[in-house]
Amino acid sequence: MRVLSNRELNRTYLTRQLLAHPATHPVADTVEHLVALQGQEADSPYLSLRARHPDFRQDDLTALLHDRTVVRSALLRGTQHLCTGEDFRWLRPTLQPGLDRFAARGGRLDGLDQATLIEAAREILGDGPIGRPELTRRLIERFPGPDPEWLKLVVHLRLSLLHPPPAGTWRHRGRVSCVLAEDWLGRPLAAEPAPETLVMRYLAAFGPASIKDIQVWSGVTRLRGLMATLRDRLRVFRSEAGIDLYDLTDAPLVDPDMPAPVVFLPEFDNAILGHADRDRIVHPGDRPLVTPGWSIVRPTVLVDGFVAATWWVSGASLSIAPFRPLAEKDRAEVEREGERLLEFMVPGERPEIHWAEGQPGVRWGNRPERALRAADTEGPLPGGTE
């Protein structure tokens, strides 16, 4: 069995993630290829697409949200993602068993049967989009005993809800509305889960990968039996650590010596979160600087294919915190790409680049209740943590 070096995995991963070369196909095709874009912060999908499409404009995604080509919902790992409306129809039913398991852990319903709660929520939502606070208020009127935050959490995990625009659009920080997915899409969801489709689509954008990688990315468990049935239809490699890595038979591997551009990724980007073993993009000792806990996944800078710094923006000022000193040419390339990033984020402003020490502070806790309170305006949404 062929062993793939970590650097070969890195270059292959950059290519599969459309981070090695500028994407030339339509933006909707990029969303489809990546399966889903992390949307826990409203601006993140825009920055994810900009990292892959150098000529990307905010309106390119906003238009797709308004015409319902792309939708926003709780998906992978129970957190907010964007995917195509067509993919949502099979993706949400495939992820639903895991979301149901998470909802089942939510006590604090004071004995209220979840089926009764879901029936009531579906009735309330039958009149069309409704703001999350108003939905919660009306649920409390019907069920005054249970914890309101868990009423909200269970409904968002158990019901296939979408959050239509302006939620999820660039710079939006207002209230978030909810609508039944079937009503927004005008079509029913798939009657059965499609785990095989999930695996194949994942490998196209994230492979080669282990069973654990697929499970950590998706939140879907018990895939070992499925992978055993698919094994004859896949290539199987081995990592330097001796772990089996599965891949599509026609998916190319990439020269480990291929040059890699500097890339600015937003917080929570699935290029960082796409595997249990993230050594292919984050050096092992650097992982706590990227994901220190408390549901934090910091914005990152890739240099020579690996995370080398984190970044944050205040006004027209971009701060970059490298993990170790960068070579002069790398530093210059980071600054040039940083200026292009600022032109995208704050066009017309005079860009300022600052090299910083240390990391920005904690933004969110990892308790579901706290995440849901934040979600009434934006930010982390129902489900697990990263």
Side-chain angles (χ1 to χ4, degrees):
M1 190 179 296
R2 180 180 167 188
V3 175
L4 300 179
S5 71
N6 201 49
R7 190 172 178 85
E8 187 173 12
L9 285 172
N10 173 265
R11 291 322 198 238
T12 298
Y13 188 40
L14 294 180
T15 302
R16 303 273 181 99
Q17 283 288 302
L18 310 176
L19 295 171
H21 308 286
T24 57
H25 49 253
V27 169
D29 290 353
T30 295
V31 177
E32 180 180 357
H33 171 73
L34 297 173
V35 187
L37 293 174
Q38 242 290 357
Q40 201 156 301
E41 297 290 336
D43 295 348
S44 291
Y46 289 82
L47 297 173
S48 291
L49 289 169
R50 181 215 161 260
R52 294 160 170 92
H53 287 262
D55 298 326
F56 175 77
R57 302 168 302 169
Q58 284 95 345
D59 287 347
D60 294 337
L61 177 56
T62 301
L64 295 175
L65 288 164
H66 278 283
D67 71 15
R68 311 187 188 192
T69 300
V70 172
V71 297
R72 183 175 190 254
S73 181
L75 289 168
L76 306 172
R77 307 178 299 276
T79 55
Q80 287 290 301
H81 282 73
L82 272 59
C83 69
T84 67
E86 192 60 36
D87 277 344
F88 184 87
R89 296 178 59 234
W90 66 265
L91 182 57
R92 177 66 189 235
T94 303
L95 301 174
Q96 193 60 53
L99 302 180
D100 289 345
R101 286 194 297 273
F102 187 88
R105 298 205 302 266
R108 286 178 268 184
L109 288 183
D110 199 29
L112 173 63
D113 178 63
Q114 288 196 9
T116 301
L117 170 62
I118 298 307
E119 181 180 356
R122 186 177 288 277
E123 179 183 334
I124 294 170
L125 288 156
D127 295 331
I130 182 175
R132 188 182 284 120
E134 175 63 14
L135 172 60
T136 303
R137 185 189 67 78
R138 292 174 65 175
L139 289 171
I140 293 172
E141 286 181 350
R142 296 198 186 194
F143 311 109
D147 183 335
E149 301 298 339
W150 278 94
L151 286 176
K152 187 184 344 181
L153 176 64
V154 170
V155 166
H156 278 78
L157 293 176
R158 294 292 303 276
L159 268 182
S160 294
L161 301 181
L162 299 176
H163 306 297
T169 57
W170 179 256
R171 294 302 194 214
H172 179 73
R173 295 295 184 271
R175 297 290 183 179
V176 175
S177 295
C178 305
V179 63
L180 292 169
E182 297 94 331
D183 293 345
W184 186 252
L185 295 173
R187 290 167 292 171
L189 304 188
E192 298 292 335
E196 181 177 325
T197 300
L198 180 75
V199 168
M200 295 300 195
R201 290 283 299 278
Y202 169 81
L203 292 177
F206 295 84
S210 70
I211 295 173
K212 186 175 181 181
D213 289 331
I214 303 170
Q215 293 183 155
V216 165
W217 167 80
S218 65
V220 176
T221 58
R222 302 175 183 176
L223 288 178
R224 193 165 298 279
L226 173 62
M227 297 306 293
T229 65
L230 293 177
R231 191 178 180 101
D232 290 342
R233 295 165 50 191
L234 300 171
R235 288 186 298 176
V236 185
F237 301 102
R238 187 153 289 170
S239 72
E240 291 177 332
I243 297 171
D244 284 358
L245 302 176
Y246 297 83
D247 201 12
L248 304 180
T249 57
D250 59 351
L253 300 174
V254 177
D255 184 346
D257 294 325
M258 179 191 76
V262 165
V263 178
F264 279 75
L265 293 174
E267 54 196 323
F268 301 108
D269 194 285
N270 273 336
I272 302 298
L273 299 175
H275 300 84
D277 180 358
R278 297 169 188 166
D279 290 1
R280 73 183 65 196
I281 195 167
V282 182
H283 293 301
D286 296 339
R287 187 163 171 168
L289 299 172
V290 178
T291 53
W294 306 287
S295 297
I296 296 171
V297 183
R298 291 178 171 134
T300 53
V301 184
L302 305 185
V303 177
D304 190 30
F306 292 87
V307 175
T310 59
W311 63 271
W312 60 99
V313 168
S314 178
S317 175
L318 170 65
S319 296
I320 304 166
F323 300 161
R324 57 192 60 83
L326 298 176
E328 184 176 346
K329 67 178 183 60
D330 291 333
R331 189 179 176 100
E333 187 178 353
V334 169
E335 290 185 350
R336 285 193 297 270
E337 182 58 24
E339 290 177 356
R340 289 192 286 268
L341 174 68
L342 285 174
E343 178 59 29
F344 177 85
M345 297 184 72
V346 284
E349 298 289 335
R350 181 180 177 182
E352 296 182 7
I353 308 291
H354 299 283
W355 292 90
E357 295 182 2
Q359 303 295 330
V362 173
R363 292 188 61 181
W364 304 105
N366 62 355
R367 295 177 60 215
E369 302 94 329
R370 184 174 177 183
L372 278 163
R373 283 196 291 273
D376 285 337
T377 53
E378 276 298 341
L381 280 118
T385 64
E386 300 300 350

